[in-house]
Amino acid sequence: MTLLQVKGLGKSYNSETQVLKNVDFEVNAGEFVSIIGPSGAGKSTLLRCINRMVEINEGKVIFDNADVGSLKKNELRKLRTNIGMIFQHYNLVPRLTVIENVLHGRFGYKTTLQGILGRFTEEEKERAFILLKKLGIEEHAYKRCDQLSGGQQQRVGICRALIQEPKLVLCDEPIASLDPNSSKVIMDHLKSITTEMGITCLVNLHQVEVAQDYSDRIIGLRKGEIVFDGPSKQLHENQ
Ligand code: ADP
Ligand code: ADP
């Protein structure tokens, strides 16, 4: 089943430079796809067009049968509960605890930053703990996020993105700030937990070897255009 269609997508932030040009691809439910390309190729912009963190200039993004570009505000909110995001710099709230950050991912902005935990039910906290356990960080649940290592913070980021059980998770350079050991831990977790939960994954990476190790399919972007889209093992034959 097709979960995402990107059709003739074009994006520019200002009239002079076209950041994405006629980008076309489809992603089936359950796929784990890496997007590779040098810095400035347009990888982040592509992910931001998919959940409409930036406006689309040309073409269409169809996610789960919805035309993302034409959604109204309340429909957009619903769309984003079905699309989790994982960032290079984790984007956690540093002075909140791990469990508060995770619960934010699901129930976020109905709360104030004070006394968040008291607003959640035992059942909601239990769900958060199940994820923290899977990622091996439950012992840190009540620590502030700024006391954790980068790799641990990214595991919190994964929990926060997945607690809402999205259909798709967009990962923007999830390991670019991590050392090789932590990178492996993060990619292993990301792959296994999204597979287990049946969540489709689009991952921006600049390391080709990592993309080849973890994904069956790679999309190569260069200067805003797709230059490769196919099975990982065919990548080198084409370059
Ligand atoms: P990548 O993720 O592959 O490094 P980006 O999508 O971040 O690529 O950037 C692609 C191009 O778009 C770059 O030339 C960058 O400078 C430009 N760009 C990114 N974000 C903005 C923005 N908010 N305003 C203007 N230009 C931007
Ligand atoms: P990354 O490649 O990790 O996304 P960048 O340094 O390219 O990091 O971008 C950091 C932030 O600055 C992003 O939010 C991006 O949208 C914004 N940005 C990048 N290039 C430009 C630009 N030319 N003009 C305005 N904002 C930009």
Side-chain angles (χ1 to χ4, degrees), residues 90 92 98 137 140-141 143-154 156:
Y90 329 122
L92 304 173
V98 166
I137 47 170
H140 304 301
K143 285 188 189 157
R144 277 171 54 142
C145 279
D146 53 10
Q147 294 173 339
L148 304 184
S149 70
Q152 290 168 335
Q153 291 193 47
Q154 193 58 295
V156 179

Side-chain angles (χ1 to χ4, degrees), residues 44-188:
S44 297
T45 301
L46 176 57
L47 297 191
R48 288 186 205 136
C49 288
I50 292 171
N51 68 355
R52 226 176 102 194
M53 280 161 76
V54 297
E55 292 300 326
I56 299 162
N57 299 133
E58 284 168 53
K60 272 188 200 294
V61 172
I62 311 284
F63 173 75
D64 202 20
N65 300 317
D67 179 355
V68 171
S70 65
L71 295 180
K72 301 201 180 67
K73 248 195 181 153
N74 59 330
E75 298 168 323
L76 203 52
R77 212 170 293 133
K78 190 163 159 263
L79 170 94
R80 289 186 185 144
T81 66
N82 272 316
I83 303 182
M85 281 287 294
I86 294 171
F87 304 93
Q88 174 178 353
H89 300 293
Y90 329 122
N91 293 19
L92 304 173
V93 183
R95 63 188 183 82
L96 294 183
T97 62
V98 166
I99 187 139
E100 286 168 331
N101 268 279
V102 172
L103 287 165
H104 246 290
R106 184 173 178 91
F107 309 104
Y109 306 103
K110 71 178 181 186
T111 65
T112 65
L113 290 186
Q114 280 84 34
I116 280 178
L117 213 48
R119 294 170 185 249
F120 296 104
T121 64
E122 287 307 313
E123 194 240 320
E124 287 164 346
K125 284 182 230 175
E126 189 51 42
R127 286 171 78 121
F129 263 97
I130 290 170
L131 273 176
L132 291 173
K133 272 189 196 136
K134 281 189 178 158
L135 278 281
I137 47 170
E138 77 275 21
E139 74 203 75
H140 304 301
Y142 295 103
K143 285 188 189 157
R144 277 171 54 142
C145 279
D146 53 10
Q147 294 173 339
L148 304 184
S149 70
Q152 290 168 335
Q153 291 193 47
Q154 193 58 295
R155 283 187 266 168
V156 179
I158 294 174
C159 293
R160 181 187 55 185
L162 300 187
I163 195 170
Q164 56 186 349
E165 296 175 8
K167 292 185 179 169
L168 174 68
V169 63
L170 303 174
C171 312
D172 195 0
E173 299 277 4
I175 57 170
S177 303
L178 299 175
D179 62 60
N181 285 336
S182 305
S183 296
K184 184 172 176 344
V185 170
I186 291 301
M187 290 305 296
D188 286 344

Side-chain angles (χ1 to χ4, degrees), residues 13-14 19 37-46 48 172-173 204 221:
Y13 291 99
N14 50 53
V19 175
S39 186
K43 305 182 297 296
S44 297
T45 301
L46 176 57
R48 288 186 205 136
D172 195 0
E173 299 277 4
N204 283 354
L221 260 192

